[in-house]
Amino acid sequence: MRKLTTVVVLISLLSAGCKDGPKPIDLVFAPSDDVALGNQLHDEILANPEEYPLLDETEHADAIAYLQNMADQIIESGELDYAETFDYKVHIIDADVLNAFAAPGGKMYFYTGLIKFLEKEDDLMGVMGHEIAHADRRHSVRQMLENYGVQWLLSAALGEDPNQAATLLAQIAGAGASLKFSRSDEADADSYSVEYLSQTSYRCDGAAIFFQKLDSAGLTSSTPEFLSTHPSPENRVQDIQAKAAEVGCSTEYFAPASYNDFKAMLP
Ligand SMILES: [Zn+2]
C-alpha cells in the first residue's frame, strides 16, 4: 500500500515533462507499456463488434488510408514526443455517434457519425489533433495510474485478466465513458491540437470550429469524449483562438475537396 501511494505521489508531482529525453512517468510506466495496454484495449474492441462495429480494413481500405494520411501529417509534424514509439493507427467505427477517442499508445477511433457531421477536413483535423494529444501527452495513462495504481495497470497491459481491458475500455470509449479527463488535460489537448496543426497545411484552430459546430447544432449537452469536462465550449473556443494567435498560425480553411470523396467512401 505504501509503495503504491509513493508511486502515485511521484506521478502527480512529476506529471509534466520536456520534449527531449525520458520523462519521470517513463520510469514508472514505460511508453511501450502504453502500446501494450492499447493493444489489449483493441483486442477488447475486436471482441465486441456489436458495440464497436469497426470498418473492415480490407473492404474499406481506401477510407481508412485516407484518414491515416490525415493522421500521418500530424505524426510527421515533429511535434510529438512518441511518434516513433507509439502505434498511431486510425480505425473507423461505423455508428452514427459524434465521438472519437484515443487509446493509450496511439490507436485512434473515429465514428462515421462524426466524420459525416463535419463539413471540412480541417474540422476533423482539429479533433484528431486533440485525440493525438491525449495519447502523446499520456493523459489517460496518468489518470488510470492514479485510479488503479501501477501494478494493476501493468497487469492490464500484460493482458493477465481480460476484465481489466473491458473495465478500461468502458472508461475511455462509448456513450457512458467515465474517465473524465481533467479540465487541464482538455485544455492541454486543445492547445496541442493548435501546435500540431500549425505544422500542417490545415487551419490550426480546427478544434474550435468543431466546438462551434456542436454548439450551433445544439449538441453541446451530449457527452462525447471532448465534452467530458468543463471548461465550457465557449471558453474553449476562445482559448483555442488565443493559442492560434499566439502561435501565429493560419486560421484560413485548407479544406481539400477530397474530403467529400472520403465521406462518400463510408457506409
Ligand atoms: Zn479530450
Side-chain angles (χ1 to χ4, degrees):
M1 194 63 198
R2 187 192 177 112
K3 207 172 170 186
L4 282 183
T5 309
T6 309
V7 167
V8 169
V9 169
L10 183 73
I11 293 160
S12 305
L13 285 175
L14 305 173
S15 62
C18 56
K19 194 169 168 52
D20 303 306
K23 297 171 179 52
I25 188 180
D26 297 351
L27 306 175
V28 178
F29 198 81
S32 57
D33 294 329
D34 290 38
V35 177
L37 188 57
N39 288 339
Q40 296 298 336
L41 297 190
H42 188 69
D43 286 348
E44 186 62 24
I45 285 174
L46 291 176
N48 292 280
E50 289 199 352
E51 195 170 354
Y52 304 102
L54 287 183
L55 285 196
D56 182 86
E57 302 218 338
T58 306
E59 190 184 345
H60 297 281
D62 287 358
I64 294 167
Y66 190 94
L67 191 62
Q68 185 67 49
N69 179 263
M70 290 175 62
D72 287 347
Q73 293 176 62
I74 294 176
I75 296 156
E76 292 160 9
S77 69
E79 297 289 322
L80 304 192
D81 286 338
Y82 299 104
E84 305 297 325
T85 318
F86 282 3
D87 178 25
Y88 280 113
K89 191 162 184 304
V90 302
H91 299 274
I92 302 175
I93 301 177
D94 184 16
D96 189 15
V97 174
L98 289 178
N99 203 6
F101 61 92
K107 287 187 172 66
M108 289 168 272
Y109 303 85
F110 295 86
Y111 285 85
T112 50
L114 174 74
I115 297 167
K116 291 175 183 175
F117 172 74
L118 296 173
E119 287 159 41
K120 301 278 203 293
E121 194 162 306
D122 304 58
D123 309 337
L124 183 57
M125 278 294 270
V127 174
M128 189 177 271
H130 178 98
E131 294 304 327
I132 287 178
H134 277 317
D136 204 64
R137 307 278 296 159
R138 305 179 77 187
H139 291 153
S140 56
V141 161
R142 287 177 209 279
Q143 194 67 49
M144 289 168 182
L145 283 168
E146 275 192 33
N147 292 353
Y148 297 102
V150 66
Q151 294 305 331
W152 193 94
L153 208 59
L154 283 171
S155 168
L158 289 170
E160 289 176 348
D161 176 358
N163 290 325
Q164 294 178 301
T167 298
L168 295 177
L169 182 62
Q171 297 198 1
I172 65 164
S178 57
L179 181 84
K180 304 293 186 212
F181 287 115
S182 71
R183 194 185 179 108
S184 67
D185 282 350
E186 285 303 317
D188 190 64
D190 287 348
S191 177
Y192 271 82
S193 178
V194 174
E195 296 270 6
Y196 300 160
L197 267 57
S198 75
Q199 302 301 314
T200 71
S201 306
Y202 298 88
R203 67 182 296 167
C204 62
D205 62 347
I209 305 301
F210 164 72
F211 286 124
Q212 287 172 326
K213 279 193 201 302
L214 279 186
D215 202 24
S216 59
L219 294 167
T220 49
S221 60
S222 59
T223 56
E225 185 280 305
F226 10 80
L227 297 178
S228 60
T229 15
H230 299 287
S232 69
E234 308 87 75
N235 290 344
R236 289 177 71 173
V237 168
Q238 287 172 9
D239 289 349
I240 290 165
Q241 288 170 342
K243 178 70 182 178
E246 179 198 320
V247 172
C249 47
S250 169
T251 53
E252 301 292 324
Y253 268 120
F254 173 51
S258 52
Y259 189 60
N260 286 325
D261 302 332
F262 167 49
K263 289 203 229 184
M265 294 172 197
L266 301 173

